[in-house]
Amino acid sequence: ASTYRQDCGWATVEALGGIHRCPRVTGEALELIAEFRLPDKRWRDADNLLAMIKSGIDGVCDATGINDKAFRRVTVDRVMDGAGVVRLTIMESNKP
């Protein structure tokens, strides 16, 4: 799990343009959208999908300075297109 966490942290840094461009996010009301592009047509429960990537979310939080208790809303989206990837989007929540 720690290697996966580190890999996700470094993938975040790379996606955001490098260590010096990686923003530090300090919001206290954030929303996390996890888009799972599933590799096959098997149904997976939303809670199980989130559990599968918990260490990965922690790695993203490590890279951006997010305290994961700031996630007020978490949305799980499932697309059955055979891609087998997960895309996380983090934004300020517009919900109280």
Side-chain angles (χ1 to χ4, degrees):
S2 68
T3 300
Y4 174 58
R5 181 176 181 156
Q6 290 174 351
D7 289 348
C8 289
W10 284 114
T12 300
V13 169
E14 183 179 334
L16 294 173
I19 196 76
H20 299 292
R21 292 185 157 190
C22 197
R24 304 304 287 175
V25 180
T26 58
E28 295 183 17
L30 301 175
E31 182 172 349
L32 171 68
I33 301 169
E35 179 186 283
F36 291 84
R37 301 184 71 83
L38 301 172
D40 54 42
K41 302 261 186 221
R42 290 184 303 133
W43 182 255
R44 292 157 176 92
D45 293 336
D47 57 339
N48 290 337
L49 289 170
L50 282 175
M52 288 171 37
I53 64 164
K54 187 203 181 313
S55 292
I57 293 170
D58 290 342
V60 171
C61 289
D62 292 343
T64 57
I66 293 172
N67 185 334
D68 59 5
K69 73 179 180 184
F71 293 132
R72 294 222 176 140
R73 172 178 287 184
V74 177
T75 302
V76 174
D77 189 18
R78 290 168 278 222
V79 179
M80 295 182 190
D81 67 356
V85 298
V86 179
R87 179 180 14 207
L88 299 179
T89 303
I90 299 169
M91 63 183 100
E92 288 191 30
S93 179
N94 58 4
K95 304 288 183 189

